[in-house]
Amino acid sequence: TAGLASAGLREDWLERYGADFTAAQPKPEAWVLCTGEYTDNAVAAYKRRQTNATVAVSLNKFLYEARFQRTGIVPTHHWFVDTATVVRGSCLQRAREGFVFSLQRTPDCFIALETARLGVQRGVHMVGKKALVEFWRAALAPSSWPRLHEVKNWSKQLPPPLKMAGALTLGHGIELALSLTPRGAVIKLLGCDGARTFAKTLGKEHTDLDKVSKHLKPLLRELPRLGPGWEVVNCNPKSNYVRKGAMAGSDRCFD
C-alpha cells in the first residue's frame, strides 16, 4: 500500500525505491540456506515449493560440501566468507602466477576457488568481499565474471533496507535476501541451527552464537514494521538462534 511509513529505512534504499513504495501481496518467500541439518523430508518439501522466481541464498560451504550437493538444491545466490589467507592476498598472488591450487597444499584458496567454480557452473551469483572477488576473477575465466559480485558494489545496486552489522555470515545471508526482495518477503531459514558442523564438535553451540543472536534480535524485530515489511523465520523451531530469542521458529514452513 502506498504511503507506508518509511522511517528507519536506509537512505540508499529510499533513493533506489522511493518513499511511495508498495508491499507485495501476498509476500513472496525467500530462503537462506545454512550448513546445518537437512532432513530428506525438508529437502523434498523445499523442492516442491521452489519456482523459477524463488530467491535462495546459500552460505559458506553449501555449494562445496558433498552432503549439500546430494540434496540437489541449487541456490540463486551464494555468500562466501573470506579467510585470512584470502584477505592477505596470498591466493590472489598465486593465481596471478598460474599456481595450481590443491586441497592438500592450499586448502583455503582451493575451497574458495572450487566453491566459486561450482557456483558459476550452476548459474549461481557469487557474492563476497573485495579480496575474495579479486582472487576469483584472477583464477576463473572472464566468462564467469558477470556472476562474481563484490558486496559493496552489490549493495549500491541493490541496497538492503537494513544492514545486518555484526551478525557475521548469517547476517550477510539475510542481508542479501533483503536486497533481493524490495517489496517485502517472508525470509525462511533452512539448516540454520546455530550449531557447529565440524565432526569433532558436531552439535555443540556455534562459537559466535551469542554474538550473532545479540546483533540479529533487534534488527529482525524491526523488519516487519519497516517499509513494505519483511519477516524472518527459522524453519527449525529447536534452532539455537530461536532458543536465544534472535528470531521466531516454525515447523510450518512448508505448509
Side-chain angles (χ1 to χ4, degrees):
T1 303
L4 284 172
S6 58
L9 287 165
R10 286 172 52 86
E11 184 176 338
D12 54 357
W13 192 96
L14 287 168
E15 289 177 356
R16 175 73 167 79
Y17 299 108
D20 191 25
F21 46 79
T22 57
Q25 293 294 340
K27 284 187 171 62
E29 288 181 349
W31 296 82
V32 175
L33 309 173
C34 300
T35 53
E37 182 182 2
Y38 284 74
T39 66
D40 291 342
N41 287 340
V43 170
Y46 173 84
K47 290 180 177 179
R48 286 195 296 270
R49 298 183 76 86
Q50 191 176 25
T51 69
N52 290 335
T54 299
V55 169
V57 180
S58 59
L59 304 177
N60 270 358
K61 294 183 180 179
F62 185 91
L63 290 173
Y64 175 77
E65 291 189 357
R67 66 188 179 106
F68 301 119
Q69 294 180 28
R70 285 193 294 268
T71 66
I73 294 175
V74 179
T76 55
H77 299 75
H78 184 85
W79 169 264
F80 194 87
V81 64
D82 45 12
T83 62
T85 307
V86 174
V87 173
R88 288 196 302 266
S90 302
C91 300
L92 174 60
Q93 182 61 37
R94 287 178 168 178
R96 288 172 172 169
E97 294 170 354
F99 184 85
V100 178
F101 298 99
S102 70
L103 184 60
Q104 292 72 29
R105 296 173 62 190
T106 50
D108 286 351
C109 302
F110 178 84
I111 291 172
L113 179 57
E114 190 64 13
T115 300
R117 195 190 316 276
L118 290 167
V120 169
Q121 287 175 354
R122 290 162 172 77
V124 180
H125 289 276
M126 307 294 297
V127 185
K129 294 183 180 179
K130 183 178 181 180
L132 179 61
V133 176
E134 286 181 341
F135 166 50
W136 284 343
R137 289 181 175 173
L140 296 173
S143 59
S144 69
W145 293 0
R147 293 194 177 273
L148 307 177
H149 307 277
E150 195 273 314
V151 67
K152 287 187 177 180
N153 292 335
W154 178 276
S155 294
K156 288 178 182 178
Q157 297 174 29
L158 295 173
L162 278 181
K163 286 282 190 179
M164 299 285 120
L168 304 181
T169 301
L170 180 55
H172 281 292
I174 294 172
E175 193 173 298
L176 278 177
L178 291 170
S179 74
L180 290 159
T181 54
R183 296 184 62 202
V186 178
I187 299 174
K188 298 183 176 182
L189 276 51
L190 192 59
C192 302
D193 306 324
R196 303 187 204 184
T197 56
F198 294 106
K200 292 183 179 180
T201 56
L202 188 65
K204 293 185 178 181
E205 286 188 359
H206 192 282
T207 307
D208 296 308
L209 175 66
D210 288 338
K211 178 181 180 179
V212 172
S213 298
K214 179 181 178 181
H215 282 88
L216 282 180
K217 186 174 181 178
L219 296 172
L220 300 190
R221 285 186 173 182
E222 186 175 358
L223 281 172
R225 302 187 294 271
L226 198 62
W230 293 264
E231 179 184 356
V232 175
V233 60
N234 197 312
C235 296
N236 176 8
K238 296 181 180 179
S239 165
N240 287 325
Y241 294 117
V242 176
R243 182 172 58 82
K244 291 287 185 178
M247 63 194 66
S250 175
D251 58 4
R252 302 179 66 94
C253 279
F254 304 108
D255 288 356

